[in-house]
Structures are given as structure tokens and as C-alpha cells.
Amino acid sequence: MNRWIDVSQKLTNEIPVWPGDTPFSYQVSWSKEESGSVNVGQINMSTHTGTHIDAPFHFDDEGQCVIDLDVNLYIGDALVVHVKNAKRIELKELAHLSLEGVTRLLIRTDAWTDRTSFPATIPPVDPELVPYLAKQGIRLLGLDLPSVDALDSKELAAHHALHENGIHILEGLVLDEIEEGMYELAALPLPLVEGDGSPVRAVLRQK
Ligand SMILES: Nc1ccccc1C(=O)C[C@H](N)C(=O)O
Ligand SMILES: [Zn+2]
Ligand SMILES: [Zn+2]
């Protein structure tokens, strides 16, 4: 039996976040010395820190919140593919693949190499690729990048195209060591009732 591999960014006070967004912090707010029995911590973070999922409410005021998302999206078979040195993630990068029966597609770009700082640019997902993915049966798209759109995008064309085509979004995976192939994925969001996104612990196991 293959072992589960952690493909999540580690949550430390140094983790790079979206420019201007809330820095991650963990601290012990009630120490064992103070409480007499236990250390109790608190975390303060943006919902889009590290490895996380986007709920439609992130980019659509009428969209679903995290609690409304089907947990079945985030557990099950996933295909990992490599798309390296591409300016955009577009059809010509994926056209050679057979995506038949694939519902979760994870793309390793290696475009975010230095994880101690936020990337300056990333290859965005081409919105024109999205209907093709949906037609193949993809319901979850994951990437080793902090967004599916360009970092300076305001219209978020890829986010909206994915949403319109029923494909959910998983961002910030760590796929540095992951070869192409079929895996099982588990990357469950927290049960945030009003969440626009949620950190996940993402793990893969080779099939
Ligand atoms: N934190 C932010 C603050 C301002 C604007 C965007 C973000 C994002 O996190 C974008 C995101 N990761 C996304 O692509 O869904
Ligand atoms: Zn996000
Ligand atoms: Zn996003």
C-alpha cells in the first residue's frame, strides 16, 4: 500500500501571503503557565493562505460559501500532470492527454519555485481551456500556484469560467516531488459557514 504524501504548504508565521493580505500568525494566547493546565493557541489568517480552496463567494457575492461545497469534490482519484515553462495554461499543453474518467486534475507548473516569497508572475489558466476541461468531466482543478488568474487580474476570467463550467478550485499545492500519474487526493476544507475560501491539508497517494 502506498503512503500518503503531504502536498500542503506549511503554515508558519513566515508563509508568504497575497500582497496586502492578512499575514499568518499563530501564537499561544493562554500558556500552560497561565492556565495551570494547557497551552491554548490562536491563529489569525486570510482564508487564501497557503494550500487552500476557493468557494464561489470569493468572486461572486451570490456564490456558495465553503459549507455549501460538496465534500466529495475534495476526496478521490486525481490525475497529476506537468505543464512546465508555459506562459499560459492552455489547451495546447493538455490536448495530448487522455482525460477520460478524470474528475480531479492537478497541474504541476513549477512556476513558483521560491516559496519563501510571493511570486512576481504566474502562468494563468486560459479561460478558453475551461469548457474543454468541463466536457472531459473535470470537476476540480488544482495548481501549484496562488491563483488561477494573473496576479494583477481584476476580472478573474479563469475563476469565473471555471465556476460557470462547474469546476472547483484548489490553489497553492506543493507538487515539487510529484510525478505525473494517477493518485488519490484528500484536501478537505474546514466547515466555514461563511467562508469565501478555506485552508486545506492536501495529501496524495499514488494509485
Ligand atoms: N488574498 C487576496 C487578496 C486580494 C486579492 C486576491 C487575493 C487572493 O487570495 C486571490 C486568490 N488566492 C485567488 O486567486 O483566489
Ligand atoms: Zn484563493
Ligand atoms: Zn482563486
Side-chain angles (χ1 to χ4, degrees):
M1 184 68 99
N2 289 313
R3 289 175 61 78
W4 289 98
I5 308 162
D6 192 356
V7 289
S8 320
Q9 293 181 53
K10 290 190 174 66
L11 296 172
T12 74
N13 290 2
E14 284 74 48
I15 190 172
V17 298
W18 197 275
D21 205 352
T22 312
F24 178 90
S25 85
Y26 168 85
Q27 62 190 83
V28 175
S29 50
W30 206 12
S31 70
K32 191 156 181 289
E33 201 171 22
E34 289 162 346
S35 70
S37 56
V38 285
N39 290 310
V40 181
Q42 61 169 284
I43 52 183
N44 188 34
M45 67 190 294
S46 162
T47 47
H48 297 265
T49 304
T51 311
H52 70 277
I53 61 100
D54 290 353
F57 177 60
H58 180 46
F59 44 85
D60 176 356
D61 285 338
E62 310 298 315
Q64 291 169 304
C65 291
V66 177
I67 200 76
D68 304 319
L69 301 171
D70 184 354
V71 292
N72 291 282
L73 284 166
Y74 304 101
I75 309 176
D77 289 353
L79 179 68
V80 174
V81 301
H82 295 182
V83 176
K84 298 190 188 168
N85 307 310
K87 277 228 146 50
R88 305 169 66 77
I89 297 163
E90 54 195 340
L91 183 56
K92 76 172 196 304
E93 311 289 345
L94 299 174
H96 66 284
L97 297 165
S98 165
L99 298 178
E100 214 185 292
V102 176
T103 52
R104 300 173 194 83
L105 179 66
L106 309 181
I107 300 178
R108 172 177 163 188
T109 68
D110 284 351
W112 184 7
T113 44
D114 175 12
R115 284 231 182 58
T116 64
S117 67
F118 207 78
T121 61
I122 57 169
V125 172
D126 182 355
E128 287 183 19
L129 168 65
V130 173
Y132 171 79
L133 295 180
K135 205 165 140 236
Q136 307 293 306
I138 306 292
R139 300 288 320 285
L140 180 74
L141 179 65
L143 294 109
D144 57 355
L145 299 171
S147 184
V148 293
D149 277 291
L151 299 175
D152 59 357
S153 171
K154 291 289 176 222
E155 62 270 27
L156 301 180
H159 281 84
H160 287 282
L162 287 162
H163 180 45
E164 279 156 26
N165 284 274
I167 302 178
H168 289 76
I169 301 170
L170 171 58
E171 295 170 331
L173 290 164
V174 180
L175 300 175
D176 306 7
E177 311 286 324
I178 306 299
E179 294 308 322
E180 289 189 312
M182 279 307 298
Y183 294 79
E184 284 174 275
L185 167 76
L188 285 172
L190 302 174
L192 295 169
V193 173
E194 293 182 276
D196 62 292
S198 173
V200 298
R201 183 73 179 263
V203 291
L204 288 176
R205 178 163 75 173
Q206 201 163 22
K207 294 261 294 182

PDB file of all heavy atoms in Angstrom, residues 76-99:
ATOM      1  N   GLY A  76     -10.787  11.762  -3.526  1.00  0.00           N
ATOM      2  CA  GLY A  76     -10.982  10.782  -4.595  1.00  0.00           C
ATOM      3  C   GLY A  76      -9.853  10.820  -5.605  1.00  0.00           C
ATOM      4  O   GLY A  76      -8.845  11.511  -5.414  1.00  0.00           O
ATOM      5  N   ASP A  77     -10.032  10.084  -6.688  1.00  0.00           N
ATOM      6  CA  ASP A  77      -8.981   9.949  -7.687  1.00  0.00           C
ATOM      7  C   ASP A  77      -8.648  11.289  -8.348  1.00  0.00           C
ATOM      8  O   ASP A  77      -9.548  12.087  -8.638  1.00  0.00           O
ATOM      9  CB  ASP A  77      -9.418   8.971  -8.784  1.00  0.00           C
ATOM     10  CG  ASP A  77      -9.438   7.538  -8.271  1.00  0.00           C
ATOM     11  OD1 ASP A  77      -8.999   7.307  -7.125  1.00  0.00           O
ATOM     12  OD2 ASP A  77      -9.895   6.654  -9.020  1.00  0.00           O
ATOM     13  N   ALA A  78      -7.358  11.510  -8.593  1.00  0.00           N
ATOM     14  CA  ALA A  78      -6.896  12.755  -9.217  1.00  0.00           C
ATOM     15  C   ALA A  78      -5.735  12.439 -10.150  1.00  0.00           C
ATOM     16  O   ALA A  78      -4.878  11.614  -9.825  1.00  0.00           O
ATOM     17  CB  ALA A  78      -6.439  13.743  -8.149  1.00  0.00           C
ATOM     18  N   LEU A  79      -5.732  13.097 -11.294  1.00  0.00           N
ATOM     19  CA  LEU A  79      -4.617  12.948 -12.239  1.00  0.00           C
ATOM     20  C   LEU A  79      -3.669  14.126 -12.077  1.00  0.00           C
ATOM     21  O   LEU A  79      -4.099  15.288 -12.118  1.00  0.00           O
ATOM     22  CB  LEU A  79      -5.153  12.916 -13.682  1.00  0.00           C
ATOM     23  CG  LEU A  79      -4.089  12.798 -14.769  1.00  0.00           C
ATOM     24  CD1 LEU A  79      -3.404  11.423 -14.742  1.00  0.00           C
ATOM     25  CD2 LEU A  79      -4.680  13.067 -16.152  1.00  0.00           C
ATOM     26  N   VAL A  80      -2.374  13.825 -11.880  1.00  0.00           N
ATOM     27  CA  VAL A  80      -1.351  14.874 -11.826  1.00  0.00           C
ATOM     28  C   VAL A  80      -0.672  14.949 -13.188  1.00  0.00           C
ATOM     29  O   VAL A  80      -0.223  13.927 -13.721  1.00  0.00           O
ATOM     30  CB  VAL A  80      -0.300  14.577 -10.734  1.00  0.00           C
ATOM     31  CG1 VAL A  80       0.847  15.596 -10.794  1.00  0.00           C
ATOM     32  CG2 VAL A  80      -0.942  14.571  -9.356  1.00  0.00           C
ATOM     33  N   VAL A  81      -0.618  16.166 -13.744  1.00  0.00           N
ATOM     34  CA  VAL A  81       0.105  16.376 -14.997  1.00  0.00           C
ATOM     35  C   VAL A  81       1.100  17.522 -14.814  1.00  0.00           C
ATOM     36  O   VAL A  81       0.916  18.392 -13.964  1.00  0.00           O
ATOM     37  CB  VAL A  81      -0.846  16.686 -16.189  1.00  0.00           C
ATOM     38  CG1 VAL A  81      -1.829  15.545 -16.402  1.00  0.00           C
ATOM     39  CG2 VAL A  81      -1.572  17.991 -16.007  1.00  0.00           C
ATOM     40  N   HIS A  82       2.154  17.487 -15.614  1.00  0.00           N
ATOM     41  CA  HIS A  82       3.166  18.544 -15.580  1.00  0.00           C
ATOM     42  C   HIS A  82       2.960  19.483 -16.767  1.00  0.00           C
ATOM     43  O   HIS A  82       2.834  19.006 -17.903  1.00  0.00           O
ATOM     44  CB  HIS A  82       4.575  17.956 -15.669  1.00  0.00           C
ATOM     45  CG  HIS A  82       4.946  17.116 -14.477  1.00  0.00           C
ATOM     46  ND1 HIS A  82       6.183  16.528 -14.348  1.00  0.00           N
ATOM     47  CD2 HIS A  82       4.246  16.778 -13.359  1.00  0.00           C
ATOM     48  CE1 HIS A  82       6.227  15.858 -13.197  1.00  0.00           C
ATOM     49  NE2 HIS A  82       5.065  15.987 -12.583  1.00  0.00           N
ATOM     50  N   VAL A  83       2.907  20.773 -16.488  1.00  0.00           N
ATOM     51  CA  VAL A  83       2.862  21.792 -17.551  1.00  0.00           C
ATOM     52  C   VAL A  83       3.940  22.806 -17.190  1.00  0.00           C
ATOM     53  O   VAL A  83       3.695  23.739 -16.430  1.00  0.00           O
ATOM     54  CB  VAL A  83       1.476  22.465 -17.650  1.00  0.00           C
ATOM     55  CG1 VAL A  83       1.496  23.578 -18.697  1.00  0.00           C
ATOM     56  CG2 VAL A  83       0.399  21.448 -18.007  1.00  0.00           C
ATOM     57  N   LYS A  84       5.138  22.566 -17.694  1.00  0.00           N
ATOM     58  CA  LYS A  84       6.270  23.397 -17.267  1.00  0.00           C
ATOM     59  C   LYS A  84       6.650  24.394 -18.353  1.00  0.00           C
ATOM     60  O   LYS A  84       6.470  24.139 -19.533  1.00  0.00           O
ATOM     61  CB  LYS A  84       7.450  22.498 -16.911  1.00  0.00           C
ATOM     62  CG  LYS A  84       7.098  21.582 -15.745  1.00  0.00           C
ATOM     63  CD  LYS A  84       8.289  20.842 -15.200  1.00  0.00           C
ATOM     64  CE  LYS A  84       7.828  19.804 -14.185  1.00  0.00           C
ATOM     65  NZ  LYS A  84       8.867  18.857 -13.814  1.00  0.00           N
ATOM     66  N   ASN A  85       7.165  25.541 -17.920  1.00  0.00           N
ATOM     67  CA  ASN A  85       7.665  26.585 -18.833  1.00  0.00           C
ATOM     68  C   ASN A  85       6.600  27.129 -19.777  1.00  0.00           C
ATOM     69  O   ASN A  85       6.930  27.602 -20.860  1.00  0.00           O
ATOM     70  CB  ASN A  85       8.856  26.068 -19.655  1.00  0.00           C
ATOM     71  CG  ASN A  85       9.939  25.479 -18.782  1.00  0.00           C
ATOM     72  OD1 ASN A  85      10.368  26.111 -17.813  1.00  0.00           O
ATOM     73  ND2 ASN A  85      10.354  24.260 -19.082  1.00  0.00           N
ATOM     74  N   ALA A  86       5.338  27.056 -19.382  1.00  0.00           N
ATOM     75  CA  ALA A  86       4.276  27.599 -20.231  1.00  0.00           C
ATOM     76  C   ALA A  86       3.968  29.027 -19.800  1.00  0.00           C
ATOM     77  O   ALA A  86       4.011  29.347 -18.615  1.00  0.00           O
ATOM     78  CB  ALA A  86       3.019  26.742 -20.116  1.00  0.00           C
ATOM     79  N   LYS A  87       3.682  29.885 -20.760  1.00  0.00           N
ATOM     80  CA  LYS A  87       3.279  31.274 -20.462  1.00  0.00           C
ATOM     81  C   LYS A  87       1.867  31.295 -19.901  1.00  0.00           C
ATOM     82  O   LYS A  87       1.530  32.084 -19.037  1.00  0.00           O
ATOM     83  CB  LYS A  87       3.297  32.120 -21.752  1.00  0.00           C
ATOM     84  CG  LYS A  87       4.651  32.659 -22.112  1.00  0.00           C
ATOM     85  CD  LYS A  87       4.555  34.165 -22.435  1.00  0.00           C
ATOM     86  CE  LYS A  87       5.797  34.914 -22.013  1.00  0.00           C
ATOM     87  NZ  LYS A  87       7.023  34.269 -22.494  1.00  0.00           N
ATOM     88  N   ARG A  88       1.027  30.419 -20.486  1.00  0.00           N
ATOM     89  CA  ARG A  88      -0.356  30.266 -20.041  1.00  0.00           C
ATOM     90  C   ARG A  88      -0.659  28.782 -20.000  1.00  0.00           C
ATOM     91  O   ARG A  88      -0.070  28.011 -20.758  1.00  0.00           O
ATOM     92  CB  ARG A  88      -1.325  30.912 -21.052  1.00  0.00           C
ATOM     93  CG  ARG A  88      -1.070  32.348 -21.372  1.00  0.00           C
ATOM     94  CD  ARG A  88      -1.921  32.784 -22.563  1.00  0.00           C
ATOM     95  NE  ARG A  88      -3.350  32.766 -22.256  1.00  0.00           N
ATOM     96  CZ  ARG A  88      -3.950  33.696 -21.540  1.00  0.00           C
ATOM     97  NH1 ARG A  88      -3.281  34.722 -21.084  1.00  0.00           N
ATOM     98  NH2 ARG A  88      -5.228  33.622 -21.299  1.00  0.00           N
ATOM     99  N   ILE A  89      -1.625  28.421 -19.155  1.00  0.00           N
ATOM    100  CA  ILE A  89      -2.059  27.029 -19.130  1.00  0.00           C
ATOM    101  C   ILE A  89      -3.220  26.935 -20.111  1.00  0.00           C
ATOM    102  O   ILE A  89      -4.330  27.386 -19.832  1.00  0.00           O
ATOM    103  CB  ILE A  89      -2.439  26.620 -17.698  1.00  0.00           C
ATOM    104  CG1 ILE A  89      -1.180  26.730 -16.826  1.00  0.00           C
ATOM    105  CG2 ILE A  89      -3.019  25.213 -17.667  1.00  0.00           C
ATOM    106  CD1 ILE A  89      -1.447  26.753 -15.356  1.00  0.00           C
ATOM    107  N   GLU A  90      -2.897  26.433 -21.293  1.00  0.00           N
ATOM    108  CA  GLU A  90      -3.888  26.459 -22.375  1.00  0.00           C
ATOM    109  C   GLU A  90      -4.023  25.081 -23.006  1.00  0.00           C
ATOM    110  O   GLU A  90      -3.294  24.152 -22.678  1.00  0.00           O
ATOM    111  CB  GLU A  90      -3.527  27.532 -23.406  1.00  0.00           C
ATOM    112  CG  GLU A  90      -2.137  27.427 -23.952  1.00  0.00           C
ATOM    113  CD  GLU A  90      -1.690  28.687 -24.682  1.00  0.00           C
ATOM    114  OE1 GLU A  90      -2.556  29.495 -25.087  1.00  0.00           O
ATOM    115  OE2 GLU A  90      -0.478  28.851 -24.865  1.00  0.00           O
ATOM    116  N   LEU A  91      -4.975  24.998 -23.924  1.00  0.00           N
ATOM    117  CA  LEU A  91      -5.339  23.701 -24.495  1.00  0.00           C
ATOM    118  C   LEU A  91      -4.148  22.972 -25.097  1.00  0.00           C
ATOM    119  O   LEU A  91      -4.008  21.757 -24.924  1.00  0.00           O
ATOM    120  CB  LEU A  91      -6.447  23.889 -25.542  1.00  0.00           C
ATOM    121  CG  LEU A  91      -6.982  22.612 -26.184  1.00  0.00           C
ATOM    122  CD1 LEU A  91      -7.481  21.637 -25.132  1.00  0.00           C
ATOM    123  CD2 LEU A  91      -8.084  22.933 -27.179  1.00  0.00           C
ATOM    124  N   LYS A  92      -3.243  23.708 -25.752  1.00  0.00           N
ATOM    125  CA  LYS A  92      -2.145  23.012 -26.416  1.00  0.00           C
ATOM    126  C   LYS A  92      -1.219  22.282 -25.432  1.00  0.00           C
ATOM    127  O   LYS A  92      -0.529  21.341 -25.804  1.00  0.00           O
ATOM    128  CB  LYS A  92      -1.374  23.966 -27.340  1.00  0.00           C
ATOM    129  CG  LYS A  92      -0.431  24.936 -26.694  1.00  0.00           C
ATOM    130  CD  LYS A  92       0.363  25.646 -27.817  1.00  0.00           C
ATOM    131  CE  LYS A  92       1.595  26.389 -27.443  1.00  0.00           C
ATOM    132  NZ  LYS A  92       1.600  27.403 -26.493  1.00  0.00           N
ATOM    133  N   GLU A  93      -1.259  22.677 -24.172  1.00  0.00           N
ATOM    134  CA  GLU A  93      -0.440  21.996 -23.155  1.00  0.00           C
ATOM    135  C   GLU A  93      -1.090  20.685 -22.698  1.00  0.00           C
ATOM    136  O   GLU A  93      -0.409  19.825 -22.138  1.00  0.00           O
ATOM    137  CB  GLU A  93      -0.265  22.890 -21.914  1.00  0.00           C
ATOM    138  CG  GLU A  93       0.158  24.316 -22.194  1.00  0.00           C
ATOM    139  CD  GLU A  93       1.597  24.408 -22.669  1.00  0.00           C
ATOM    140  OE1 GLU A  93       2.345  23.408 -22.504  1.00  0.00           O
ATOM    141  OE2 GLU A  93       1.966  25.462 -23.216  1.00  0.00           O
ATOM    142  N   LEU A  94      -2.385  20.570 -22.880  1.00  0.00           N
ATOM    143  CA  LEU A  94      -3.115  19.427 -22.314  1.00  0.00           C
ATOM    144  C   LEU A  94      -3.761  18.536 -23.367  1.00  0.00           C
ATOM    145  O   LEU A  94      -4.245  17.446 -23.050  1.00  0.00           O
ATOM    146  CB  LEU A  94      -4.212  19.930 -21.359  1.00  0.00           C
ATOM    147  CG  LEU A  94      -3.732  20.739 -20.144  1.00  0.00           C
ATOM    148  CD1 LEU A  94      -4.922  21.292 -19.377  1.00  0.00           C
ATOM    149  CD2 LEU A  94      -2.878  19.889 -19.212  1.00  0.00           C
ATOM    150  N   ALA A  95      -3.739  19.000 -24.629  1.00  0.00           N
ATOM    151  CA  ALA A  95      -4.502  18.314 -25.682  1.00  0.00           C
ATOM    152  C   ALA A  95      -4.046  16.874 -25.893  1.00  0.00           C
ATOM    153  O   ALA A  95      -4.832  16.022 -26.312  1.00  0.00           O
ATOM    154  CB  ALA A  95      -4.418  19.105 -26.986  1.00  0.00           C
ATOM    155  N   HIS A  96      -2.758  16.584 -25.574  1.00  0.00           N
ATOM    156  CA  HIS A  96      -2.224  15.236 -25.814  1.00  0.00           C
ATOM    157  C   HIS A  96      -2.672  14.231 -24.754  1.00  0.00           C
ATOM    158  O   HIS A  96      -2.454  13.031 -24.903  1.00  0.00           O
ATOM    159  CB  HIS A  96      -0.691  15.292 -25.850  1.00  0.00           C
ATOM    160  CG  HIS A  96      -0.079  15.655 -24.529  1.00  0.00           C
ATOM    161  ND1 HIS A  96      -0.075  16.945 -24.036  1.00  0.00           N
ATOM    162  CD2 HIS A  96       0.528  14.896 -23.587  1.00  0.00           C
ATOM    163  CE1 HIS A  96       0.523  16.951 -22.857  1.00  0.00           C
ATOM    164  NE2 HIS A  96       0.895  15.714 -22.558  1.00  0.00           N
ATOM    165  N   LEU A  97      -3.277  14.724 -23.673  1.00  0.00           N
ATOM    166  CA  LEU A  97      -3.632  13.840 -22.559  1.00  0.00           C
ATOM    167  C   LEU A  97      -5.007  13.219 -22.751  1.00  0.00           C
ATOM    168  O   LEU A  97      -5.912  13.862 -23.270  1.00  0.00           O
ATOM    169  CB  LEU A  97      -3.679  14.629 -21.257  1.00  0.00           C
ATOM    170  CG  LEU A  97      -2.392  15.253 -20.781  1.00  0.00           C
ATOM    171  CD1 LEU A  97      -2.682  16.274 -19.704  1.00  0.00           C
ATOM    172  CD2 LEU A  97      -1.444  14.168 -20.266  1.00  0.00           C
ATOM    173  N   SER A  98      -5.142  11.998 -22.273  1.00  0.00           N
ATOM    174  CA  SER A  98      -6.477  11.416 -22.211  1.00  0.00           C
ATOM    175  C   SER A  98      -7.056  11.720 -20.834  1.00  0.00           C
ATOM    176  O   SER A  98      -6.541  11.255 -19.818  1.00  0.00           O
ATOM    177  CB  SER A  98      -6.401   9.906 -22.434  1.00  0.00           C
ATOM    178  OG  SER A  98      -7.635   9.351 -22.037  1.00  0.00           O
ATOM    179  N   LEU A  99      -8.090  12.528 -20.809  1.00  0.00           N
ATOM    180  CA  LEU A  99      -8.699  12.918 -19.528  1.00  0.00           C
ATOM    181  C   LEU A  99      -9.984  12.147 -19.261  1.00  0.00           C
ATOM    182  O   LEU A  99     -10.738  12.491 -18.356  1.00  0.00           O
ATOM    183  CB  LEU A  99      -8.970  14.427 -19.523  1.00  0.00           C
ATOM    184  CG  LEU A  99      -7.732  15.322 -19.648  1.00  0.00           C
ATOM    185  CD1 LEU A  99      -8.127  16.793 -19.686  1.00  0.00           C
ATOM    186  CD2 LEU A  99      -6.749  15.074 -18.507  1.00  0.00           C
TER     187      LEU A  99
END
